[in-house]
Amino acid sequence: MRLSSDQTTLRSEFADDPDMLGIVALFIHELPQRLAAMHTALAASDREQLGMLAHQLKGAAGGYGFPKLGEAAALVDQAIKDRNDDNVVRSRVGMLAAVAARIRP
Amino acid sequence: MTALPSGLPKVLAIDDSVLIHRLLQVRLQYEQIELFGATSAEVGIKMAQELRPDVVLLDIDLDVKKQGMDGFGVLQVFKSDVDLQDISVIFISATASMEDRVRALDLGASDFVAKPFEVVELQARVRSALRVQHLVKMLAQKAQVDGLTGLWNRTYFDRRLSQEVGEAVRHHRSLSLVMCDIDGFKKLNDERGHPFGDKVLERLSKILQSGRGSDIACRYGGEEFGIILPNTVGSEAVEVADRYRRAIEQEVWPTMPGTVITASFGVADVFALTGTPTPEDFISAADTALYRAKQNGRNRVEATAMTPLLG
């Protein structure tokens, strides 16, 4: 049975770049904290903070070799900019968390 | 002569995300630059004022609420500050629309990079900005240097003299001015030809440049030179001028054996002037002394409001 694409693991596009090893590992290590902060902001309906966190991830994830993560963060960022309702924002944060969960060192 | 600044060019990144700073540090580590980082607009502006970077990488999306201003605001601060306005600013942004990019360029940004960066493109754009920056600095310096002699030119002399007079008055610091004119230069040109005249101007300029590091030798015009001597009282300036006078007199001219070239010097001390000194008064005081040196037989140093000491 083939795994659906949603369950494949994601590795950094720069996993073989010795210059990038250190900061990619740090990025992966810190990712759970970043997501936790986003969930906290979501629970507190702090859209400004959530938007800032999503925006930073959107700008940086691609640079660390995780473009899919960047795209998922962009959707959160966009939902906040578009003033979508909480359900949309929550579901997009959920999608972002799902992408993040597939990331492996 | 101050040369172009030595050492590696400085690049300052202003971005609120530590993720971006880490990335830039790795991605620009092999570039011949010194990289600095600031995570807020306020710190970024302060660092720019202290470091005078050649290039600034500026995040357009700085949070206005938290930072007080976005990237456009920071750019406007740069462009309205004479010390910062020539810095090349490369905008970086994850969102910017075409309108934002146009606005950034119209405000004076020199380039634009989208996040996430394409690494080679980022490196190339930084290098390109540094090349432009180097040329801007070189041109700015060239516009103030005399082509034949390599001394500072009249434009620089005028600007620097009024600056030094202002500082001397404000901080009550001594300041002297030496005006120097080559004796019989017109006759020399007529008899020995202009190429030799040019050689004389070049050699004398070397001599006038060979003094103390703090002295500012400028070509005032034709065969006249002005040397600004900060933190120097009139009597010291007379000694400095007389050293130049002797060095010129002793110079050997191999293509014209037996030729002796001399110059006359007029010295003025800014605090020997009456009233509040202006640059114009200062020049005319030194010129008056120079005129007296010519009247009294040339190849001598005369000073205003002081008894002639040497000659």
Side-chain angles (χ1 to χ4, degrees), chain A residues 14 17 19-20 23 26-27 30 34 48-49 52 55-64 77-78 81, chain B residues 15-23 26-27 29-30 59 61 63 65-66 93-95 115-117 119:
Chain A
F14 307 119
D17 182 341
D19 289 337
M20 290 293 288
I23 63 166
L26 187 57
F27 180 83
E30 288 178 352
R34 284 180 199 283
E48 201 179 295
Q49 175 71 6
M52 198 261 293
H55 189 80
Q56 289 191 346
L57 206 51
K58 169 192 168 187
Y64 287 83
D77 186 39
Q78 196 57 48
K81 283 216 174 74
Chain B
D15 194 301
D16 60 6
S17 167
V18 68
L19 291 172
I20 296 297
H21 286 289
R22 283 183 202 152
L23 202 53
V26 168
R27 290 314 198 180
Q29 65 181 319
Y30 302 117
D59 181 12
D61 310 311
D63 192 329
K65 287 216 183 91
K66 287 216 175 92
S93 170
T95 32
K115 279 192 233 175
F117 323 119
V119 179

Side-chain angles (χ1 to χ4, degrees), chain B:
Chain B
M1 266 322 306
T2 52
L4 286 168
S6 55
L8 291 175
K10 293 177 189 152
V11 176
L12 170 65
I14 306 174
D15 194 301
D16 60 6
S17 167
V18 68
L19 291 172
I20 296 297
H21 286 289
R22 283 183 202 152
L23 202 53
L24 289 173
Q25 239 153 36
V26 168
R27 290 314 198 180
L28 296 174
Q29 65 181 319
Y30 302 117
E31 301 300 306
Q32 298 296 306
I33 59 166
E34 236 184 309
L35 181 65
F36 301 86
T39 50
S40 76
E42 194 190 344
V43 175
I45 290 167
K46 202 168 275 172
M47 283 180 80
Q49 279 158 346
E50 279 163 26
L51 293 165
R52 302 291 166 82
D54 298 275
V55 171
V56 166
L57 292 166
L58 178 58
D59 181 12
I60 210 169
D61 310 311
L62 291 173
D63 192 329
V64 183
K65 287 216 183 91
K66 287 216 175 92
Q67 311 258 339
M69 62 176 85
D70 59 7
F72 293 117
V74 176
L75 181 61
Q76 274 167 326
V77 170
F78 279 16
K79 292 300 163 188
S80 58
D81 183 329
V82 279
D83 294 326
L84 305 179
Q85 63 189 5
D86 290 334
I87 296 172
S88 289
V89 175
I90 300 178
F91 257 121
I92 44 181
S93 170
T95 32
S97 59
M98 188 267 281
E99 286 81 1
D100 279 350
R101 295 199 295 271
V102 169
R103 185 173 165 217
L105 293 169
D106 280 346
L107 282 173
S110 49
D111 207 348
F112 207 93
V113 181
K115 279 192 233 175
F117 323 119
E118 291 297 333
V119 179
V120 272
E121 183 189 346
L122 171 74
Q123 292 164 344
R125 289 195 189 276
V126 169
R127 281 197 295 265
S128 155
L130 287 169
R131 272 196 303 277
V132 171
Q133 199 57 21
H134 182 74
L135 291 174
V136 167
K137 281 190 179 162
M138 217 163 68
L139 278 175
Q141 198 194 17
K142 243 190 174 143
Q144 304 182 89
V145 171
D146 177 62
L148 175 66
T149 62
L151 295 182
W152 293 112
N153 64 16
R154 176 66 182 273
T155 311
Y156 181 85
F157 174 83
D158 288 341
R159 196 168 57 75
R160 185 68 187 264
L161 186 68
S162 71
Q163 193 182 321
E164 293 292 340
V165 168
E167 300 222 335
V169 171
R170 255 196 313 283
H171 306 294
H172 215 77
R173 276 207 303 255
S174 51
L175 172 69
S176 290
L177 175 64
V178 174
M179 296 302 288
C180 161
D181 190 275
I182 304 171
D183 295 326
F185 188 70
K186 190 175 178 310
K187 190 158 166 260
L188 194 82
N189 255 335
D190 292 346
E191 288 174 2
R192 311 284 171 94
H194 284 90
F196 183 67
D198 285 352
K199 182 149 275 166
V200 169
L201 286 169
E202 285 175 63
R203 290 277 276 281
L204 262 56
S205 298
K206 290 267 175 335
I207 292 171
L208 297 179
Q209 240 177 333
S210 67
R212 308 174 307 175
S214 55
D215 298 347
I216 304 146
C218 310
R219 188 172 180 199
Y220 188 73
E223 69 272 25
E224 197 170 357
F225 302 92
I227 307 154
I228 305 167
L229 298 85
N231 298 307
T232 307
V233 296
S235 55
E236 286 176 84
V238 167
E239 285 171 31
V240 171
D242 201 57
R243 275 202 295 277
Y244 290 139
R245 187 194 61 76
R246 272 177 287 149
I248 292 169
E249 182 184 44
Q250 284 159 15
E251 185 70 29
V252 179
W253 304 90
T255 55
M256 298 279 170
T259 303
V260 174
I261 308 287
T262 61
S264 300
F265 294 79
V267 178
D269 181 318
V270 80
F271 290 114
L273 302 174
T274 49
T276 308
T278 67
E280 294 74 24
D281 295 342
F282 202 15
I283 295 172
S284 100
D287 257 338
T288 306
L290 173 60
Y291 180 74
R292 212 166 53 236
K294 295 279 188 189
Q295 293 296 303
N296 291 345
R298 300 172 171 178
N299 190 23
R300 27 186 317 126
V301 178
E302 296 277 355
T304 50
M306 287 186 283
T307 37
L309 298 170
L310 300 152

